[in-house]
Structure formats: structure tokens, C-alpha cells
Amino acid sequence: MENSSKALRLRIYISSTDNLKHSLLFETIVYQAKRYGLAGATVCKGIMGFGASSVIHSYKFWEITEKLPVTIEIVDEEEKIRKFYEIIQPYLQDMRYGCMVTAEPVEVWFYKSGKKRN
């Protein structure tokens, strides 16, 4: 991805407890994004939210399970994002519970890769 370029931001809204076989879904998606060669991915855990089910989930210290909203953000060239979505779409369609996926154009003002640690 180049500086001062137009790109697409993919956002995937799921739950922190959503699984794909024996792995957490958000981890699977991030590892797939890395394998696919995308510029990067970030997972943000929310402290409160609800989806189409209208059930509110929030962080409270007495909760037994930590079922919280999670957003996965991935930014890269539009064509790469669209092809990547085709790869992960079956994962999302097979989910037991709901999710939402959005995409919006963004301008990349600065993108610099860092040095790898030894």
C-alpha cells in the first residue's frame, strides 16, 4: 500500500466468543489477512454493545463469560479487500450468531512498515 493512496476499510463486527471450529473467529480472520498479504489488521474489543438480537453485552467484573463486541478493521487497496472478503465470507455465513460487515473508502495519508524485531 502506498502513501496518499485511496483504499478501502473493511470492518467486521462479531463477538469475542465467536468460534470457527476450535479457534476464535477474530484470530482466524487476522491470520488469514496476514497470509493473504494485506497491509494490516486490528482487533478492537468493545466494552458494551448489542446487535440484531438486541441483547446488550457489557463488561462487568461479575460476568462469568466475557462475551463482548469485537471489531476487526483491515485497510488495503480496494481490489485486495474485496478478494479477501470473498475468502472469509463463508466463515461469516456459517456463524451460528449474527455479525455485520461494512466497507468504506479511506485515504491513506501515511503508511510505513517498521523494522522486524529479532
Side-chain angles (χ1 to χ4, degrees):
M1 190 165 54
E2 297 180 20
N3 290 324
S4 301
S5 66
K6 293 195 183 279
L8 200 63
R9 175 175 38 225
L10 178 68
R11 282 192 182 142
I12 304 166
Y13 299 87
I14 58 174
S15 171
S16 60
T17 58
D18 287 336
N19 289 307
L20 180 67
K21 296 182 182 175
H22 301 292
S23 300
L24 290 170
L25 181 59
F26 68 86
E27 288 180 343
T28 302
I29 291 172
V30 169
Y31 288 128
Q32 282 286 84
K34 183 168 175 29
R35 273 188 229 110
Y36 192 71
L38 295 178
T42 301
V43 178
C44 301
K45 187 185 290 189
I47 58 171
M48 187 175 191
F50 71 93
S53 67
S54 293
V55 175
I56 293 179
H57 298 282
S58 67
Y59 172 77
K60 295 184 178 162
F61 66 90
W62 61 83
E63 297 274 341
I64 294 174
T65 62
E66 194 178 275
K67 183 177 177 68
L68 295 172
V70 170
T71 304
I72 306 162
E73 288 196 11
I74 304 171
V75 177
D76 210 319
E77 298 165 3
E78 182 174 353
E79 186 177 327
K80 289 176 87 174
I81 292 290
R82 290 187 184 282
K83 286 182 181 178
F84 179 70
Y85 178 67
E86 290 175 14
I87 292 169
I88 64 167
Q89 187 179 18
Y91 302 164
L92 303 173
Q93 288 177 332
D94 289 344
M95 287 177 50
R96 182 175 174 194
Y97 301 106
C99 70
M100 182 171 69
V101 179
T102 63
E104 57 195 55
V106 295
E107 288 183 38
V108 176
W109 288 0
F110 186 72
Y111 178 73
K112 176 186 170 199
S113 61
K115 296 180 182 177
K116 290 185 180 180
R117 295 181 184 167
N118 293 334

